[in-house]
Amino acid sequence: MVQTHKEVAPGRFRETFGRYFEDFEPGHVYEHRPNRTITETENTWFTLLTMNQHPMHFDAEYAKHSEFGRCIICSPFTVALMVGMSVSDVSQKAIANLGWKEIKLTYPLFAGDTLSAESEVLDKRESKSRPNAGVVTIRTRGFNQDGKLVCEFDRTMLIAKRGFEVEAKAGY
C-alpha cells in the first residue's frame, strides 16, 4: 500500500494513497496488504447482492454432494476482493479502468480461507489522447493461505500523471 502524506496547512497533514503513472515500472511486483479471510456470511451476501443463484455458493446440503464436499466462494467475489485489495497500490490515482482480460480461476476458495494478492506491472505507455495520463497494465494474482494460486487476471487502467490527479481538483 502506497501511503504518504502532504502538508495542507502549517502543522496539518492529510494522508494520500496510490501511485502516479510515473511511479510504475514494468517488472515491479506490489504485494497488497492486508490479506483477507473470507467468511461464509460475506459469500452469501455477495451471492444475494449479485443474484447469483448457484447453490454451490450457499446450499451446504447441495454442495456436500459436489467434488468439493462443501460450498465454494463465488468466483466474482474473489475477483472483486483482489481488485479491492490492489486499489491503494495500483489504481488509487486511476482515471478509469480500461479493461480486464485473461481471468483465470485456478483453485477454489472456501469460507475460512485467507486470500492474499500481488500485482506485477506488465506494461506502461503514454496515453495517445490524454497528455495528463498514461496507460498501465498489471497482472494481479491471488493466493490462499497455503500459497496456492486461486485466481489471476490482467487489468489495464488510465492513470493520472503528477499534477493532474482528481484529488488536487477536489481539494481532497
Side-chain angles (χ1 to χ4, degrees):
M1 172 169 47
V2 177
Q3 180 182 12
T4 58
H5 68 277
K6 62 182 175 183
E7 192 166 7
V8 294
R12 186 175 187 86
F13 301 89
R14 184 174 299 146
E15 64 185 355
T16 63
F17 295 91
R19 297 177 199 279
Y20 294 96
F21 173 73
E22 296 89 343
D23 299 326
F24 289 92
E25 292 297 330
H28 282 189
V29 176
Y30 310 122
E31 296 181 2
H32 310 303
R33 295 295 183 267
N35 296 337
R36 185 72 155 63
T37 302
I38 304 167
T39 69
E40 181 180 359
T41 301
E42 294 164 333
N43 188 52
T44 301
W45 286 346
F46 190 88
T47 63
L48 291 170
L49 287 170
T50 59
M51 299 178 64
N52 183 331
Q53 298 179 32
H54 197 297
M56 279 299 298
H57 303 305
F58 55 82
D59 184 335
E61 186 61 29
Y62 178 93
K64 80 177 184 182
H65 298 285
S66 74
E67 67 183 273
F68 305 111
R70 57 188 166 151
C71 290
I72 58 175
I73 299 300
C74 184
S75 54
F77 185 33
T78 302
V79 172
L81 280 172
M82 290 169 59
V83 169
M85 292 167 79
S86 72
V87 166
S88 63
D89 265 337
V90 298
S91 61
Q92 192 76 40
K93 305 279 190 225
I95 297 165
N97 281 302
L98 301 177
W100 283 267
K101 67 179 185 174
E102 300 296 322
I103 297 173
K104 297 175 185 165
L105 302 155
T106 54
Y107 193 81
L109 279 175
F110 304 98
D113 282 351
T114 298
L115 180 66
S116 65
E118 66 182 31
S119 294
E120 178 182 357
V121 181
L122 300 178
D123 187 48
K124 80 178 231 184
R125 66 170 177 81
E126 299 282 332
S127 171
K128 294 175 183 155
S129 61
R130 297 183 185 214
N132 62 334
V135 177
V136 176
T137 300
I138 61 166
R139 174 164 297 137
T140 301
R141 296 177 194 92
F143 303 90
N144 71 8
Q145 66 280 355
D146 299 320
K148 289 191 178 190
L149 180 68
V150 298
C151 179
E152 69 179 346
F153 55 83
D154 294 352
R155 178 164 61 130
T156 301
M157 304 156 291
L158 185 66
I159 306 286
K161 291 183 178 178
R162 276 190 178 73
F164 295 99
E165 69 279 7
V166 174
E167 290 111 341
K169 295 175 189 171
Y172 201 79

